């Protein structure tokens, strides 16, 4: 009897449930592990080339590790997943396929139809790459009910016993230290760059292949990420040792000089299964216990990994497929060319877009308060924004992109995921960064040729959607600002916004 274990490229878990289950059924020599690089999937969008280097190099290293542990691996580079599976079945004639549930909607549908399509028994195991695959705080959500991230997060903390004094009492007396985490980066503070890894033979081979045959976003040159469990562990320890203590206070800070500031840059590894979110949260807690990091940093990090990441995955599955069609603000503008070349006089956008195109990474606040903020204010269509993010970023997968772009970034779902639209004028960007200092635009100007576009776009958005925004109590402060605009100024911001958007190509 032969048993196939199909391991997908973003499921590179140390302990893969399908492999564990199959090993309980048969001996190792009756097992064959199937891994597939699908050319059709790779060409669906012009993906970030560094992301593909990461994905394929990590997959090939994983296959090599399995082989040296004595497993037989059928590693296929194929025109499509379907063709690879068909050829695998012909070559090995397995009786059953074990696999773990795909994290994405379309992929899971494909997996669910495998049995009928190929006439073979298939066992799909729960996805343990997410903590909600181990504990789901709301297993039967109702369509009408509103689920707030903060409550979801508290349930996760209680269940996984993270930062808990007792069953109900959080350590430090508060669940959330967000208020302590809003400092800009002071002059003279120089965060260390994350650890980098020199490409080995496998990685160099992938880089060469992609360079020759794949015209995606960015360049393969300069790839320096971890591609194995051991390297990803090193990257995590580098974060805990060097940056976690300052992660909290500077979580929202932005800088033209530093990409990562004190962020972890671990999302590419967590999303591939090279790192386990619970292990990371527990390590952060250990740093608090050992007095190596303060509570606001540790809680801030745990909230991102165990709160936001899991909440987004959970919402994705609750809201698919409708979320992908949502467009609450009726935004229909195409994506401007500057998103593909970074050519703009808006200094903040220029830096952040170029960073995304070159490295595939920007931290959360730059994704949210610069890029998405601009797209929401400028009325760019959510689907094209989503495709751009999916293309440019190194950690991009549909399950994380859809809720973050349609929900958090653009509020296109009408506020199901986030409780308010994240919109801001130049004031916020100036407060949290050094971008405005070297910008062609005047951050204080509200109207006129030199005025920062974020300002007139912001006020014109508020005026255009005033009735809808008034229904949200969390927008009261933003709406109060309207008191300072007389009729003439209101007319002017609207005209300047139209003029600017007409010129945007
Ligand atoms: P840190 O700030 O160090 O946070 C630690 C970890 O928390 C991250 O590695 C990540 O795993 C998790 N996390 C934090 N916030 C979120 C969130 N909102 N959703 C999911 N996980 C979160 N994250 C992705 O992994 N892939 C994406 O493609 C992606 N696209 C985004 C697009 C937009 C418009 C926005 C607003 C956010 C997006 N995020 C995405 C979420 C978040 O910005 C990134 O996870 C984070 O910036 C990754 O950098 P880091 O590892 O340094 O994170
Ligand atoms: Fe960005 Fe406006 Fe500041 Fe320029 S002035 S960096 S466009 S916020």
């Amino acid at each position: 009897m032969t048993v196939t274990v199909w391991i997908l490229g973003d499921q590179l878990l140390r302990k893969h449930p399908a492999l564990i289950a199959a090993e309980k059924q048969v001996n190792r020599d009756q097992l064959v592990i199937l891994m597939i690089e699908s050319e059709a999937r790779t060409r669906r969008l012009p993906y970030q080339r560094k992301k593909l280097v990461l994905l394929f190099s990590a997959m090939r290293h994983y296959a090599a590790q399995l082989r040296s542990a004595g497993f037989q691996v059928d590693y296929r580079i194929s025109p499509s997943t379907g063709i690879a599976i068909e050829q695998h079945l012909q070559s090995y004639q397995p009786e059953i396929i074990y696999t773990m549930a795909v994290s994405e909607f379309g992929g899971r549908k494909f997996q669910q139809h495998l049995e009928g399509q190929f006439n073979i028994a298939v066992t799909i195991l729960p996805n343990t790459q997410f903590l909600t695959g181990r504990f789901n705080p709301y297993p039967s959500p109702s369509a009408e009910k509103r689920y707030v991230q903060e409550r979801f997060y508290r349930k996760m903390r209680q269940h996984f016993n993270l930062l808990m004094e007792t069953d109900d009492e959080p350590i430090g007396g508060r669940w959330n230290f967000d208020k302590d985490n809003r400092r800009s980066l002071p002059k003279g503070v120089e965060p260390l760059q994350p650890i980098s890894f020199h490409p080995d033979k496998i990685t160099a081979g992938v880089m060469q292949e992609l360079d020759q045959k794949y015209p995606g976003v960015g360049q393969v040159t300069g790839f320096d990420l971890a591609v194995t469990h051991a390297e990803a562990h090193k990257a995590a320890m580098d974060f805990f040792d060097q940056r976690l203590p300052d992660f909290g206070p500077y979580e929202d800070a932005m800088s033209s000089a530093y990409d990562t500031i004190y962020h972890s840059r671990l999302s590419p590894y967590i999303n591939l299964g090279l790192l386990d979110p619970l292990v990371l949260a527990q390590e952060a807690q250990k740093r608090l216990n050992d007095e190596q990091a303060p509570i606001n940093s540790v809680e801030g990090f745990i909230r991102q990994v165990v709160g936001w990441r899991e909440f987004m995955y959970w919402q994705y599955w609750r809201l698919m497929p409708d979320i992908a069609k949502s467009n609450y603000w009726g935004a229909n503008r195409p994506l401007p060319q500057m998103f593909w070349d970074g050519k703009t006089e808006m200094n903040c956008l220029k830096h952040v877009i170029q960073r995304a195109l070159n490295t595939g990474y920007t931290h959360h606040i730059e994704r949210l308060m610069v890029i998405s903020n601009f797209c929401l204010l400028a009325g760019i269509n959510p689907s094209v924004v989503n495709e751009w993010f999916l293309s440019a970023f190194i950690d991009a997968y549909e399950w994380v992109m859809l809720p973050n772009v349609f929900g958090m970034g653009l509020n296109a779902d009408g506020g199901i995921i986030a409780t308010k639209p994240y919109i801001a004028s130049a004031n916020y960007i100036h407060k949290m960064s050094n971008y405005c200092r070297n910008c062609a635009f005047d951050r204080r100007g509200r109207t006129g040729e030199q005025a920062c576009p974020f300002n007139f776009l912001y006020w014109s958005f508020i005026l255009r959607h005033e009735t809808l925004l008034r229904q949200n109590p969390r927008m009261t402060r933003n709406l109060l600002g309207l008191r300072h605009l007389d009729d003439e100024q209101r007319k002017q911001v609207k005209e300047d916004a139209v003029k600017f958007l007409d010129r945007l190509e």
Side-chain angles (χ1 to χ4, degrees):
M1 174 179 175
T2 302
V3 168
T4 289
V5 174
W6 177 27
I7 297 185
L8 281 90
D10 64 349
Q11 299 185 344
L12 308 179
L13 307 182
R14 269 185 199 274
K15 292 181 185 158
H16 198 287
L19 195 51
I20 295 170
E23 280 214 280
K24 284 187 187 147
Q25 297 299 314
V26 289
N27 296 327
R28 201 164 276 197
D29 59 1
Q30 294 170 285
L31 252 176
V32 52
I33 294 161
L34 171 64
M35 294 182 76
I36 305 166
E37 285 180 24
S38 154
E39 284 172 6
R41 180 71 184 85
T42 310
R43 290 184 190 278
R44 201 179 282 172
L45 284 174
Y47 290 112
Q48 168 62 251
R49 291 160 115 202
K50 288 191 176 75
K51 172 188 171 178
L52 296 178
V53 174
L54 170 67
L55 177 66
F56 296 149
S57 176
M59 284 174 72
R60 293 180 196 186
H61 278 92
Y62 190 82
Q65 272 169 21
L66 288 171
R67 284 193 186 108
S68 49
F71 289 101
Q72 184 178 193
V73 181
D74 180 26
Y75 194 100
R76 289 182 180 262
I77 300 175
S78 176
S80 75
T81 305
I83 293 174
I85 293 179
E86 198 176 339
Q87 291 177 344
H88 169 83
L89 297 180
Q90 274 166 11
S91 302
Y92 291 88
Q93 305 282 323
E95 283 179 24
I96 183 167
I97 299 179
Y98 282 91
T99 186
M100 181 173 87
V102 181
S103 56
E104 295 180 356
F105 194 78
R108 193 161 309 172
K109 287 264 166 296
F110 175 81
Q111 214 174 25
Q112 284 161 349
H113 291 116
L114 266 184
E115 217 163 58
Q117 196 181 342
F118 295 102
N119 193 23
I120 179 158
V122 178
T123 298
I124 304 173
L125 293 145
N127 191 316
T128 54
Q129 204 166 348
F130 296 89
L131 301 183
T132 42
R134 307 174 211 178
F135 164 71
N136 187 342
Y138 302 107
S140 316
S142 102
E144 289 78 41
K145 206 174 152 192
R146 186 120 201 275
Y147 295 88
V148 181
Q149 186 269 352
E150 184 67 31
R151 287 187 170 278
F152 178 99
Y153 164 59
R154 291 180 189 186
K155 283 179 182 286
M156 296 298 273
R157 284 241 323 249
Q158 285 175 299
H159 178 83
F160 290 103
N161 190 21
L162 291 164
L163 299 182
M164 298 304 299
E165 197 73 62
T166 64
D167 286 352
D168 311 311
E169 284 298 312
I171 285 181
R174 273 151 64 189
W175 290 95
N176 186 322
F177 288 78
D178 237 4
K179 285 208 176 79
D180 304 344
N181 290 355
R182 291 179 186 152
R183 291 175 61 183
S184 61
L185 202 64
K187 267 199 192 122
V189 172
E190 295 179 3
L192 291 174
Q193 288 297 317
I195 185 173
S196 61
F197 299 87
H198 189 70
D200 67 3
K201 219 170 139 192
I202 294 181
T203 305
V206 177
M207 287 167 75
Q208 203 181 10
E209 275 172 40
L210 286 167
D211 201 27
Q212 282 163 3
K213 67 173 193 195
Y214 185 77
V217 166
Q219 301 300 327
V220 297
T221 321
F223 178 86
D224 64 354
L225 295 183
V227 290
T228 61
H229 293 121
E231 287 181 350
H233 175 75
K234 258 192 203 165
M237 289 306 128
D238 171 67
F239 164 67
F240 289 120
D241 294 341
Q242 308 290 351
R243 300 191 299 285
L244 178 66
D246 293 308
F247 174 87
Y250 303 116
E251 204 177 337
D252 289 0
M254 299 180 276
S255 157
S256 58
Y258 303 102
D259 300 3
T260 320
I261 311 221
Y262 292 101
H263 287 265
S264 68
R265 209 182 63 168
L266 295 179
S267 53
Y269 313 133
I270 309 174
N271 293 352
L272 281 185
L274 292 178
L275 292 174
D276 181 297
L278 185 58
V279 172
L280 294 174
Q282 286 165 338
E283 180 65 30
Q285 168 152 329
K286 184 169 168 288
R287 301 296 169 126
L288 176 73
N289 297 344
D290 296 348
E291 297 182 4
Q292 289 169 11
I295 179 82
N296 56 322
S297 288
V298 171
E299 189 279 317
F301 178 74
I302 290 179
R303 179 150 32 85
Q304 300 310 312
V305 181
V306 172
W308 279 112
R309 182 172 188 272
E310 296 295 332
F311 185 63
M312 288 309 196
Y313 183 68
W314 182 86
Q315 285 283 19
Y316 169 79
W317 278 100
R318 175 176 169 239
L319 300 173
M320 274 302 276
D322 294 348
I323 187 173
K325 291 177 236 137
S326 60
N327 191 355
Y328 185 72
W329 302 100
N332 285 315
R333 194 167 289 282
L335 193 73
Q337 174 58 25
M338 65 176 166
F339 278 77
W340 298 109
D341 57 24
K343 287 189 186 149
T344 165
E345 286 186 310
M346 299 174 73
N347 199 37
C348 53
L349 268 179
K350 183 176 83 181
H351 269 279
V352 175
I353 291 174
Q354 285 180 355
R355 192 171 270 170
L357 296 176
N358 292 338
T359 68
Y361 176 87
T362 77
H363 72 66
H364 183 68
I365 294 301
E366 294 180 329
R367 297 183 203 204
L368 184 65
M369 298 311 293
V370 178
I371 303 176
S372 306
N373 182 18
F374 178 81
C375 293
L376 176 53
L377 296 179
I380 300 171
N381 181 269
S383 298
V384 297
V385 177
N386 185 56
E387 283 200 354
W388 179 80
F389 268 104
L390 269 175
S391 300
F393 280 80
I394 202 149
D395 52 5
Y397 297 89
E398 188 188 89
W399 66 264
V400 61
M401 202 49 92
L402 278 175
N404 271 300
V405 172
F406 283 79
M408 188 182 261
L410 302 182
N411 202 252
D413 61 350
I416 298 174
I417 290 177
T419 48
K420 62 165 191 174
Y422 285 97
I423 51 170
S425 65
N427 201 20
Y428 177 85
I429 296 175
H430 170 64
K431 205 171 81 190
M432 298 314 300
S433 78
N434 62 352
Y435 289 128
C436 301
R437 270 185 239 150
N438 296 311
C439 186
F441 294 103
D442 173 11
R443 67 175 174 84
R444 291 191 199 85
R446 193 183 284 150
T447 54
E449 280 296 313
Q450 286 311 305
C452 168
F454 273 102
N455 292 342
F456 49 74
L457 289 175
Y458 173 81
W459 289 114
S460 122
F461 182 90
I462 292 199
L463 287 166
R464 228 171 38 248
H465 299 295
E466 191 178 343
T467 315
L468 273 182
L469 291 169
R470 286 210 181 276
Q471 292 165 17
N472 185 341
R474 290 201 68 201
M475 296 310 287
T476 308
R477 265 182 67 184
N478 304 61
L479 288 156
L480 275 177
L482 279 178
R483 285 176 311 175
H484 305 298
L485 268 71
D486 60 25
D487 286 350
E488 180 50 34
Q489 285 167 324
R490 289 176 187 219
K491 184 168 157 270
Q492 200 58 52
V493 288
K494 283 191 201 162
E495 280 177 12
D496 283 355
V498 170
K499 230 189 295 168
F500 173 83
L501 292 172
D502 281 349
R503 285 199 303 246
L504 205 62
E505 290 177 341

